[in-house]
């Protein structure tokens, strides 16, 4: 059973049903039913035209559901117009599905779940496992999202920036359950890049590839977090880095800079350095300046302060950090690192402990706790 083929065909089959007049929620249910049927039938009797088979079965599932609905009389006209079986037109409406799933009326978590279900072809169980929530909870979230977008016109122009943010959210979820969401986000972003010629789509794809290339070196065998400067660079995926840099260079050449391109440029500079000591921090600061101009994000300014500390010394970094609200997540961790580099180990140890208390995940908390313990032990000796 080719699960990857099924998942790749899901958005185009769903789009065909919607284009024929099915509302989104009913069409999505019918496609899921067709996928279940494919898993049952295909191993013994694989179809010659996989997409055409799925469209035919999904449309019949939709019609069966429509006929049993209380509004049957109002839909009889549509039922009578069932298209005859045959080749499915090669029209790619995947892009419209992306926009629909990233509708501004949806919460970010609902938009991500709906994208994974409708465009990614994941089951409710797989999505629930990835988000570590009960399957019933995820089913309710997806159902509410489908109802929200059911009345939205399918041909309405969408916001590329919103779609990209949803995909970036998927990527940052990383891995849980039996679905690698980082790899899934890369697959979906490749699909989007094939459907739309946009430098920021290319920028996001490059950023994902460059970050994903370092994945194998990010954790120790015991699961402990390994910071970038201490990672074994021989374990980085050089093919993914080369592809990411090539995609980024092509996007930057179009002179339509966006935040994902700027982030990818920073990631490329890290990837290009043979060792942590050879990192071009001056150029990284320059890219953070561009990124701050594009986003006006306090998180960007925080990361820039750390980069300034590397390029111009820890005191310069602390001066830049002083202009940023200290309630910002990871502010204490950045301050601890810069104070340690400046030689103030007592303050650094206190800030590492404070940062550990505020850490957003267990791996980060354990790492910061170890840093605080290391400095406290150093002080006792």
């Amino acid at each position: 059973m080719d699960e990857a083929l099924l998942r790749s065909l899901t958005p185009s089959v769903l789009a065909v049903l919607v284009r024929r007049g099915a509302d989104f929620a009913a069409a999505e249910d019918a496609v899921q039913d067709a996928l279940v049927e494919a898993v049952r039938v295909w191993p013994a009797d694989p179809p010659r035209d996989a997409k055409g088979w799925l469209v035919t079965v999904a449309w019949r599932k939709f019609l069966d559901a429509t006929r049993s609905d209380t509004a049957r009389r109002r839909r009889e006209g549509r039922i009578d117009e069932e298209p005859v079986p045959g080749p499915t037109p090669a029209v790619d409406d995947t892009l419209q599905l992306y926009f629909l799933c990233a509708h501004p009326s949806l919460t970010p978590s609902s938009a991500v779940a709906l994208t994974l279900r409708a465009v990614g072809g994941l089951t409710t169980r797989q999505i629930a496992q990835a988000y570590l929530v009960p399957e019933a909870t995820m089913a309710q979230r997806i159902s509410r999202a489908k109802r929200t977008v059911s009345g939205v016109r399918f041909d309405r122009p969408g916001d590329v920036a919103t779609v990209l943010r949803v995909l970036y959210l998927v990527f940052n979820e990383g891995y849980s359950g039996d679905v690698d969401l980082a790899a899934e986000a890369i697959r979906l972003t490749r699909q989007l890049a094939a459907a739309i010629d946009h430098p920021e789509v290319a920028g996001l794809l490059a950023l994902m590839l460059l970050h994903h290339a370092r994945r194998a070196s990010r954790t120790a065998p015991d699961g402990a977090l390994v910071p970038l400067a201490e990672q074994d660079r021989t374990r980085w995926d050089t093919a993914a880095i080369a592809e990411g840099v090539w995609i980024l260079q092509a996007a930057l050449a179009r002179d339509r800079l966006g935040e994902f391109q700027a982030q990818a440029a920073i990631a490329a500079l890290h990837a290009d350095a043979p060792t942590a000591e050879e990192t071009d921090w001056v150029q990284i600061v320059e890219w953070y300046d561009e990124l701050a101009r594009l986003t006006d994000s306090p998180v960007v300014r925080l990361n820039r302060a750390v980069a300034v500390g590397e390029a111009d010394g820890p005191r310069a970094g602390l001066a830049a950090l002083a202009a940023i609200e200290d309630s910002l997540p990871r502010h204490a961790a950045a301050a601890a690192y810069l104070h340690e580099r400046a030689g103030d180990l007592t303050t650094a140890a206190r800030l590492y402990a404070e940062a550990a208390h505020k850490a957003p995940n267990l791996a980060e908390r354990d790492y910061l706790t170890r840093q605080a313990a290391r400095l406290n032990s150093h002080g006792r000796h």
Side-chain angles (χ1 to χ4, degrees), residues 8 46 78 97 132 186 201 222 227 239 318 328 343 366 371:
S8 69
R78 184 166 56 198
L97 286 179
L132 304 178
I186 291 173
V201 176
D222 63 357
L318 287 167
L328 191 69
D366 288 348
Q371 296 301 94

Side-chain angles (χ1 to χ4, degrees), residues 34 92 152 171 366:
D92 188 2
V152 177
F171 180 79
D366 288 348

Side-chain angles (χ1 to χ4, degrees), residues 6-285:
L6 277 180
R7 286 168 60 186
S8 69
L9 290 174
T10 296
S12 57
V13 173
L14 176 56
V16 169
L17 266 64
V18 174
R19 209 168 53 244
R20 288 181 178 178
D23 69 85
F24 181 84
E28 208 276 333
D29 287 340
V31 171
Q32 291 297 321
D33 288 341
L35 293 175
V36 171
E37 189 73 4
V39 171
R40 187 181 68 83
V41 172
W42 285 12
D45 185 20
R48 288 192 299 273
D49 177 7
K51 180 180 175 182
W53 189 98
L54 285 170
V55 168
T56 300
V57 173
W59 184 250
R60 287 174 181 166
K61 296 286 187 183
F62 166 70
L63 294 183
D64 288 343
T66 301
R67 289 189 178 104
S68 64
D69 192 88
T70 56
R72 177 181 54 83
R73 290 185 181 85
R74 287 183 287 127
R75 299 179 182 176
E76 281 179 348
R78 184 166 56 198
I79 292 171
D80 292 338
E81 295 172 4
E82 178 180 358
V84 296
T88 306
V91 178
D92 188 2
D93 286 325
T94 303
L95 184 58
Q96 279 82 357
L97 286 179
Y98 273 103
F99 291 137
L100 196 64
C101 294
H103 194 268
S105 62
L106 295 174
T107 64
S109 60
S110 293
V112 167
L114 193 59
T115 298
L116 289 172
R117 171 79 180 246
V119 185
L122 273 63
T123 66
T124 302
R125 179 185 60 80
Q126 288 173 320
I127 301 170
Q129 284 184 341
Y131 279 89
L132 304 178
V133 300
E135 185 173 349
T137 300
M138 185 55 69
Q140 290 175 350
R141 184 181 301 173
I142 292 172
S143 293
R144 284 196 299 269
K146 288 195 296 185
R147 286 196 300 270
T148 299
V149 302
S150 282
V152 177
R153 287 177 59 85
F154 192 60
D155 57 355
R156 209 171 141 183
D159 178 14
V160 175
T162 303
V163 173
L164 294 181
R165 292 190 190 287
V166 168
L167 289 172
Y168 199 37
L169 283 172
V170 175
F171 180 79
N172 285 327
E173 287 298 326
Y175 174 85
S176 303
D178 61 357
V179 177
D180 184 337
L181 289 185
E184 180 64 16
I186 291 173
R187 184 182 76 84
L188 293 175
T189 306
R190 285 189 191 279
Q191 196 177 74
L192 183 62
I196 181 173
D197 182 21
H198 193 293
E200 271 294 80
V201 176
L204 178 59
L205 179 56
L207 177 63
M208 289 178 175
L209 289 167
L210 290 163
H211 278 324
H212 203 54
R214 303 199 300 262
R215 177 171 176 169
S217 63
R218 282 202 185 104
T219 54
D222 63 357
L225 192 68
V226 180
L228 177 61
E230 299 172 21
Q231 289 175 12
D232 179 358
R233 299 185 178 218
T234 63
R235 301 184 66 197
W236 289 2
D237 184 342
T238 54
I241 291 172
E243 183 187 5
V245 169
W246 180 82
I247 292 171
L248 172 64
Q249 289 174 338
L252 291 175
R254 300 175 64 175
D255 199 23
R256 288 171 55 196
L257 184 64
E259 61 177 288
F260 288 118
Q261 294 169 74
Q263 287 187 60
I266 293 168
L269 286 166
H270 283 299
D272 190 51
T275 65
E277 293 71 26
E278 294 173 86
T279 303
D280 188 345
W281 286 106
V282 173
Q283 195 173 165
I284 286 175
V285 171

